[in-house]
Amino acid sequence: MPIDPHLLALFTVTTIVAMITPGPDMLFVLGCGMRGGPRAGLLATAGVATSEAVHVAVAAAGLAALFEAVPVAFTVVRIAGAAYLIYLGVQAIRKRDDSPLEVAVGGGGMSGRRAYLSGLMTNLLNPKMVTFTIAFLPQFVTPSLGQVWLQFAILGAVLIALEFVVDGTVGVLAGRIGGWLRHRRAARRRIDVATGGVFVGLGVKLALERP
């Protein structure tokens, strides 16, 4: 086996514990599901998972060296990610009065394509996720076993699978609840405002956090 089975088991358990603790990814997926339905929640998860695949590749390639050599790169990416989240939140709040009929025909307040791209970009523009991956994954890699890239690939596959299981479930369930609420205009407005507030809050938190 190209990876230590004991380390793989420990990695799986640790990742599950980290994922079931509500964090930015889960809140983002929940917001997309509430606003766009189960499909949007699932596709938002797919976007987050895609970005995590990129993070794993980046970790293996050693982007940490870039952030260490050029500290301003971390800050630029962090601020860009925060600005994008705030933009999504403001858009959700501004469009809270869209016609209920338009929302129903469109499958919710957020299309599947937009949910996927938002999940992708939000996570890609969060350098803390990159640095977390760079710091976390290598702890479960054993260089003496060789095929380090393959070990990273296996860990990445487990990470992405668990992302779909945990956050995907949250997104689908939130979508079903949100779908029921969206038939009620007042409730739909509250969903949009709450979702926008979550996105803006996450953006502000990311912008204010120290590296």
Side-chain angles (χ1 to χ4, degrees):
M1 190 173 183
I3 191 169
D4 187 322
H6 298 294
L7 285 179
L8 180 59
L10 180 61
F11 171 79
T12 302
V13 172
T14 305
T15 303
I16 291 174
V17 171
M19 284 189 173
I20 62 176
T21 303
D25 284 351
M26 182 179 288
L27 292 175
F28 178 81
V29 169
L30 186 147
C32 289
M34 288 289 287
R35 192 155 191 261
R39 182 170 180 269
L42 194 58
L43 285 173
T45 303
V48 171
T50 302
S51 70
E52 286 177 349
V54 174
H55 290 159
V56 171
V58 164
L63 185 58
L66 171 63
F67 286 158
E68 184 176 350
V70 188
V72 71
F74 185 100
T75 302
V76 169
V77 176
R78 176 171 58 85
I79 296 301
Y84 185 68
L85 271 174
I86 293 172
Y87 166 77
L88 290 176
V90 171
Q91 288 294 100
I93 294 172
R94 284 184 59 239
K95 295 183 178 181
R96 65 186 182 279
D97 291 321
D98 286 352
S99 165
L101 177 60
E102 178 184 350
V103 172
V105 172
M110 177 176 283
S111 68
R113 179 174 180 273
R114 184 181 176 194
Y116 174 81
L117 292 176
S118 296
L120 174 66
M121 294 305 298
T122 297
N123 225 33
L124 279 180
L125 292 174
N126 184 354
K128 291 198 72 175
M129 288 303 301
V130 179
T131 52
F132 171 79
T133 305
I134 290 173
F136 184 59
L137 263 63
Q139 309 303 318
F140 303 91
V141 172
T142 308
S144 61
L145 292 177
Q147 297 180 298
V148 172
W149 267 98
L150 181 56
Q151 293 186 58
F152 268 106
I154 293 173
L155 294 174
V158 172
L159 180 68
I160 291 169
L162 292 175
E163 179 71 47
F164 273 104
V165 170
V166 178
D167 286 351
T169 299
V170 170
V172 170
L173 291 178
R176 294 191 182 282
I177 295 172
W180 178 78
L181 290 175
R182 276 194 302 273
H183 290 293
R184 292 154 178 78
R185 185 179 181 86
R188 184 179 63 81
R189 288 178 177 174
R190 286 194 289 271
I191 288 174
D192 289 345
V193 172
T195 301
V198 168
F199 289 172
V200 170
L202 288 175
V204 171
K205 181 177 183 295
L206 180 61
L208 296 179
E209 280 184 338
R210 297 291 181 182

